[in-house]
């Protein structure tokens, strides 16, 4: 409610959106690197090596507007780079009306569940699975979350883009180039010939990020919780859910996904 009441989006803002544990950390690193790659400091492209990407691209509702705090975000230099897990249906109106650019990343719903269970690690897998299938999950049912942003990207493609984790893992160079185009900072011909795209892909890759010392130590404050940095870099493998879910559980989630998304096709490849 504090975000809804107090945050005013600007046309120049960039908003990284996702449901929890859907590749958010990776996307934050990529967006930050793309928007800052032309700074004079040659080390600026690797600045995410110094801290968790969540420190550079903070969440509105669980980092900035918490504990009745109303930060003065007007002092942030433009363009402001922010993040949210809020579903599109509940997204603040100024973000929808301002024309700011929103980048959303989706991920296979089965893999999201497994990663979220490992991240929270509070109840049994079976109990968490039943709640998840019932739509009881942080930020609401995953199907509504992904479908809301997918519809928005179809209705307002100039303002909202919908990325798929699996496609980014399969062809990161093409997807990063497409992302740069959407952000308004496309790669020049010289950059492409000089391997700039591949450099950013490598710098921001899951393997590069998870091996950094700063990612293995320390904690990040999210709302009322502290989470160890290493929890944000578990595995990042496509299809990891097959290691944890039975064929019956996989079939149930696939069936629910098929029934929920209706005529919009597949949310993931």
């Amino acid at each position: 409610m504090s975000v809804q009441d107090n945050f005013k989006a600007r046309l120049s803002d960039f908003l990284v959106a996702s449901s929890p544990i859907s590749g958010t950390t990776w996307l934050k690193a990529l967006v930050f690197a793309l928007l800052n790659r032309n700074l004079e400091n040659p080390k600026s492209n690797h600045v995410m090596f110094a801290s968790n990407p969540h420190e550079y691209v903070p969440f509105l509702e669980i980092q900035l507007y918490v504990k009745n705090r109303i930060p003065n975000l007007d002092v942030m230099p433009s363009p402001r780079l922010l993040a949210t897990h809020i579903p599109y249906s509940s997204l603040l109106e100024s973000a929808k009306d301002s024309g700011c650019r929103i980048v959303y990343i989706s991920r296979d719903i089965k893999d999201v569940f497994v990663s979220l269970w490992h991240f929270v690690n509070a109840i049994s897998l079976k109990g968490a699975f039943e709640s998840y299938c019932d739509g009881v999950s942080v930020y609401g049912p995953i199907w509504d979350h992904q479908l809301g942003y997918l519809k928005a990207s179809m209705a307002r493609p100039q303002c909202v883009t919908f990325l798929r984790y699996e496609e980014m893992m399969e062809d990161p160079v093409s997807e990063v180039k497409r992302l740069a185009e959407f952000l308004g900072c496309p790669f020049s011909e010289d950059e492409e010939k000089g391997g700039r795209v591949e450099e950013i892909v490598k710098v921001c890759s899951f393997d590069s990020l998870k091996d950094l010392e700063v990612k293995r130590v320390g904690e990040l404050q999210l709302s009322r919780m502290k989470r160890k940095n290493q929890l944000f870099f578990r595995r990042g493998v496509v299809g990891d859910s097959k290691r944890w879910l039975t064929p019956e559980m996989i079939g149930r989630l696939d069936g629910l996904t098929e029934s929920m998304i209706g005529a919009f096709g597949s949310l993931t490849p």
Side-chain angles (χ1 to χ4, degrees), residues 123-138:
I123 58 178
S124 69
L125 179 66
K126 183 178 179 180
F129 181 80
E130 291 300 324
S131 294
Y132 196 73
C133 289
D134 289 340
V136 181
S137 182
V138 62

Side-chain angles (χ1 to χ4, degrees), residues 12-267:
S12 58
D13 286 344
F14 294 98
L15 192 60
V16 174
S18 66
S19 64
I21 320 298
S22 295
T24 314
T25 309
W26 182 30
L27 181 59
K28 284 185 175 186
L30 283 170
V31 173
F32 184 87
L34 288 171
L35 291 174
N36 290 281
R37 72 180 189 272
N38 293 323
L39 296 179
E40 293 183 6
N41 181 357
K43 296 181 180 180
S44 63
N45 297 318
H46 310 292
V47 70
M48 70 280 300
F49 283 3
S51 187
N52 190 316
H54 295 289
E55 299 286 0
Y56 296 113
V57 190
F59 286 107
L60 287 169
E61 71 277 10
I62 53 178
Q63 282 179 280
L64 297 174
Y65 290 87
V66 293
K67 298 181 180 178
N68 298 315
R69 184 174 62 187
I70 303 176
N72 180 15
L73 301 188
D74 290 338
V75 300
M76 293 181 66
S78 185
R80 300 182 302 187
L81 186 50
L82 304 162
T84 187
H85 284 321
I86 297 174
Y88 191 80
S89 58
S90 300
L91 197 63
L92 48 154
E93 291 302 317
S94 70
K96 298 177 182 179
D97 298 339
S98 67
C100 71
R101 276 170 278 197
I102 302 171
V103 180
Y104 184 85
I105 187 168
S106 72
R107 189 180 180 186
D108 184 282
I109 286 170
K110 302 182 294 295
D111 288 346
V112 173
F113 164 71
V114 169
S115 292
L116 186 60
W117 176 68
H118 278 283
F119 187 80
V120 176
N121 199 23
I123 58 178
S124 69
L125 179 66
K126 183 178 179 180
F129 181 80
E130 291 300 324
S131 294
Y132 196 73
C133 289
D134 289 340
V136 181
S137 182
V138 62
Y139 291 97
I142 183 68
W143 304 277
D144 292 348
H145 205 292
Q146 292 192 5
L147 194 54
Y149 280 94
L150 177 61
K151 290 180 179 179
S153 71
M154 297 168 68
R156 304 171 59 233
Q158 74 282 4
C159 295
V160 184
T161 193
F162 190 92
L163 304 176
R164 292 173 171 84
Y165 184 90
E166 293 74 18
E167 292 178 350
M168 294 180 68
M169 290 288 285
E170 182 177 359
D171 189 1
V173 170
S174 295
E175 290 299 298
V176 166
K177 287 169 63 176
R178 184 167 75 90
L179 176 58
E181 290 276 355
F182 176 78
L183 295 173
C185 56
F187 288 94
S188 67
E189 184 176 342
D190 287 343
E191 283 183 308
E192 291 195 34
K193 288 181 179 179
R196 199 76 166 102
V197 186
E198 290 81 1
E199 178 189 350
I200 287 180
V201 167
K202 182 178 180 180
V203 166
C204 297
S205 70
F206 188 83
D207 287 339
S208 293
L209 292 174
K210 75 176 182 179
D211 287 339
L212 298 176
E213 180 67 21
V214 71
K215 307 305 185 298
R216 296 196 295 266
V217 300
E219 296 178 319
L220 181 69
Q221 183 76 43
L222 294 177
S223 190
R224 301 178 186 277
M225 304 180 300
K226 281 188 177 181
R227 294 295 184 187
K228 293 182 178 180
N229 281 332
Q230 63 187 22
L231 289 175
F232 296 94
F233 307 89
R234 192 178 66 87
R235 296 192 76 228
V237 176
V238 173
D240 187 49
S241 55
K242 295 177 182 177
R243 299 174 61 244
W244 299 92
L245 304 181
T246 66
E248 291 75 19
M249 296 166 85
I250 289 174
R252 184 175 173 188
L253 273 180
D254 283 343
L256 283 169
T257 300
E258 180 66 26
S259 65
M260 294 292 185
I261 64 177
F264 285 88
S266 178
L267 289 170

